Amino acid sequence: MLERFRAYGSRPAVLVPDRVVGYAELADAVAATADRLGPVRRLVAITARNDLATLTGYLGALAGGHAVLPLTPGADSTELLDRHAPDVLLDGTEPDQRRAGTRHRLHPELTLLLSTSGSTGAPKLVRLSATNLTTNAAAIAEYLAIGPDDRAITSLPFAYCYGLSVVHSHLFTGAGLIVTDRSVTDEQFWTQFERHGGTSLAGVPYTFELLERTGFAERALPRLRYLTQAGGRMEPQRVRRFAQLGADRGWQLFVMYGATEATARMAYLPPELAARRPESIGRPIPGGEFRLDPVDEQPDDTGGRDDPSAEAGTVGELVYRGPNVMLGYATGPADLAAGATVHELRTGDIARRDPDGLYQVIGRRNRLAKLFGLRIDLQRVESALAAAGIPAICVDDGAGMLLVAVTGSDSRAERVVTESTGLPATAVRLLRLDALPRLPNGKPDLHRVRALGAQPAADVVAAPVTGAATTVAAIRTAYAEVLQLPLDRVGEQASFVGLGGDSLTYVAMSVRLERLLHRLPGGWHTMTVAELAASAQSRTRRGIGATVETSVALRAAAIVLVVSAHAGLFQWWGGAHVLLAVAGYNFARFRLTGRPRTQRIGQLARTTAWIAGPTIAWVAVIMVVGGVLGEHYYGWSNLLLTQKLLGPHDSPTAGHLWFVEVLVWILIGAGTLLAIPAVDRWQRRRPFAVAATVLLAGLAVRFGPFGTGPGATYSLLAFWFFALGWAAAAATDLPRRLLVTAGLVVGLLGYFDSVGRGLLVGIGIAGLIWLPNLRCPALLATSVGAVAEASLFVYLVHWQVYPLFGDHRGFAVAASLLAGVACTRAVTEIRRAARQRAGGRRNSPATHTEQISEQSYTIERA
């Protein structure tokens, strides 16, 4: 390995957001890790995150001749660790030495252990040799024609055989790996893919479903050469759509078939056949071969997939032979000393060989249920439900019942099952769940469905759960309450952004999650509920403090400064300009998602309305009762949010609402700009370039003849602060952060009439650029969250509240803050009550289908 890497020299090997690691540099880092692990051959367990440290640690363990056991981050690996007792735990490149030597007898060929629980839920490891890894990597590289110029992004977990096969096949040929742990629904995923010239993307069926839903077809990816799909059967119609899309855009789709027991791949469908033969798994990979062994049990109704007149030997159980077939299974430490106990792989799939030599899987032996004298193909039942828009998992409960787990309350589910199977309704039990249970690799968790089926019907949804499941339930409840959604819309694979969360609900959500998880991971708003729960389970609470995101802390601090300055408590000006930058930062994070253009614009319009609406309502109230409040009244230009545009500029309240007016018109302008298809495509391809261009335009205006004139600092000409926040959110690496910081410094030079104001604004925005979060006492974090969440209403009402307290300035500030918080709570309760009333009227099947579709928007990790 090391010699191969060094032979590739400075060729890019690993590309991460802030650096590019050449093969020679990677070889040195791998060798250093191997040295740290020592010369004694041992069993090394590694927490397999998708990052450079994990990759270096994994390769270092292989280079040192050790047997490696990757573990899924956040998953409960206690049973695996207790059962196999690894000698070393590796998290990154630093080994945790459990013992000096080893307690294991490791077979000389044993190289890698991959977990596969199958449908029983019992932990079981697949034993793989170096020959398995290298021959499968070479075969994959051959049929995909992977070369030195290829760069694949790590869209699948390293602990999953499919994800590792991408690593092995590309490093084997000297190609590059774009390493990321982000999902395809995260715009930063595509930023990294395009910046580093990605040429391929691997996905499981659900990945492709999400690609369709998040505007993939609209992306211009000039270097993309192919997509690969494995990890389960993808619907033929979706295969056709992607094959046609690839033909139109100049890339190819490879549909593949494999198993952990075969290292990764056993078959592939040549891309030129994908549109014509979307149901086929194709032909064996180079060096492998199939045969079909007769089987007695086949589905009674194959739905036309089998030809009764087919020749003998063209239908049977699919058996694979090749150098990538595993050594065997390991259920305990004693098995690690065994050599090859398996020489061919009985897949358990029932397949057909077509006259052109292609193979098609038509069923599965262990997914055939014998009920009421009928042999039922459970996969076919799931496909029938999926065609009706009802996601489902089907299992035989072993006691004469067919268990069908579904989401939502679609009344057609039972009818679809009975019609597709011929079973009476009394033989079918529907389990209506909030989310379909899945294994960490994204496949259906059949064991969990059987366990739920064993419970009384009334206890299924509210079944007692512990550990990560408890956290999942708490997070789902928090999302439903804060976003005011029905609980069944918040599945385990939902994310804050995917559920339509925005800057208005972000603060409340972050505070709730901080209480639940004790420490929020970076980028939590794009993580799924399951991933958030796993992140909480993978660490213990440390210290008594809490984590507050910098953007949240800045919102709270800035609004306190604004109110204090106006009330005369102290004169620290500049808070509103910091708030403009925070608004731009949140705009980039919550509105520039991977959703289609029309959905983006719709969400931005709703966010704008929730800023403009309360402002207009408050102004209207004050106009009506203005006589009671003395000089604190507004005019029609305030009501229409046009005072900064139309005047009168000498009004005593001319500066009261400037921040809200400017922000609303900036958002309208940004929405109009992004509604242009070409701009939308450009922003998706080059998010930082677009943000930087807007910032440069803002700076050009700022240094123009009107940029610092009278009133310019408090007008639309100050939109460059919004652009600074936008660029800060898009700056994902060191060079870009430095560029944004330079823009901040240049823009502030001489901008304000006070050095102190410029310094305060500069420090605040610099924190937005460089500090993702802050630690503070838990009680303070709660207060910060409450004030930040109420910042809009505090800004609106403080003009009328603080004059009531005369010279009691401290009380004036406190009362303004409390009034804003009270208004926020009241509006939240009104919205919740309105949604509950509306929810009671929405019970049509179409609405439930829409909810299921929305729930499954976010990425389910492969």
Side-chain angles (χ1 to χ4, degrees), residues 36 223 255 331 334 363 473 499 593 624 646 694 811:
R36 282 194 289 272
R223 291 206 61 195
V255 175
T331 58
L499 291 169
T593 64
V624 171
L646 305 178
V694 174
F811 288 109

Side-chain angles (χ1 to χ4, degrees), residues 190-251:
W190 297 105
T191 300
Q192 194 172 347
F193 185 84
E194 295 178 28
R195 181 191 311 145
H196 291 309
T199 61
S200 68
L201 169 70
V204 296
Y206 196 71
T207 308
F208 285 79
E209 182 179 337
L210 292 173
L211 289 177
E212 285 189 321
R213 296 183 181 183
T214 54
F216 174 77
E218 301 174 13
R219 295 185 183 275
L221 303 170
R223 291 206 61 195
L224 180 62
R225 193 164 69 80
Y226 62 85
L227 304 184
T228 63
Q229 181 270 314
R233 178 182 180 272
M234 190 158 75
E235 297 90 337
Q237 60 269 31
R238 181 166 284 124
V239 174
R240 284 196 183 96
R241 288 198 297 271
F242 273 92
Q244 186 58 55
L245 179 63
D248 295 340
R249 295 296 183 86
W251 48 263

